[in-house]
Every structure is written in C-alpha cells, then in structure tokens.
Amino acid sequence: AEMRFALQRDLGIMPGQIPQYLDAERRAVRAQNEARAALGDSFAGAWLERNRLGEYDLVVATTRTDRLGAARALAPQARVVRHSAAQLD
C-alpha cells in the first residue's frame, strides 16, 4: 500500500496505471542491463518517460552519435547526451 501511495504522490501515477508502470519498470531493468552491455563505455543511462498517450517508454542514452542506432534497437526512445553513466557515478 505504501508503494502505491508513493507512486501516486511522487510520479503522479493513477491507481489504474500502476500495473502498467510496474511492468514497464521490470522491462526497463532488463533492457538497461542489455544496453549497458551493448553500448559499453558510451552507455549513459536508461529511464522511463511518459509519452503523449500516457504510456511509459524506455529511453536509452549514449554519449556517441555513432551508437545511436544500437540504442534505438534497445528502446523506443534513444538520446545522445554529454556524460556517460560511468562519468556520473
């Protein structure tokens, strides 16, 4: 019950959206591990973002433009960013 309340309070997730969010989160954890392996040093993180339909899309980021295709193969959204995950840790 506390987790449901926190999801609603902190992320603005409505009660009916919680199962979809938790499913997306589980898939994101697996995809993040795959992205880290596929992108190596250029891996810059993975996170969930709500799209215009209210669904949750995985975003994978890389520091290298030439790795953007690999990031797009792993997630619906891909971004090129300045700092890698290792640099931010």
Side-chain angles (χ1 to χ4, degrees):
E2 289 180 31
M3 182 179 78
R4 288 181 177 273
F5 177 75
L7 288 170
Q8 291 174 298
R9 180 194 65 218
D10 298 344
L11 301 177
I13 297 173
M14 301 305 294
Q17 295 174 310
I18 290 173
Q20 177 198 9
Y21 177 81
L22 293 176
D23 182 53
E25 192 175 68
R26 280 188 289 276
R27 286 183 282 120
V29 169
R30 286 191 303 271
Q32 178 175 330
N33 293 332
E34 292 174 20
R36 187 179 302 274
L39 298 172
D41 291 342
S42 74
F43 175 72
W47 60 91
L48 292 173
E49 283 186 1
R50 198 177 286 175
N51 66 26
R52 70 183 195 287
L53 300 175
E55 298 167 346
Y56 299 94
D57 285 339
L58 177 66
V59 179
V60 171
T62 178
T63 57
R64 294 178 32 195
T65 305
D66 66 330
R67 301 298 293 151
L68 198 53
R72 284 188 179 126
L74 297 163
Q77 301 287 328
R79 307 248 170 77
V80 175
V81 297
R82 181 179 223 162
H83 301 287
S84 71
Q87 289 172 315
L88 296 174
D89 282 344

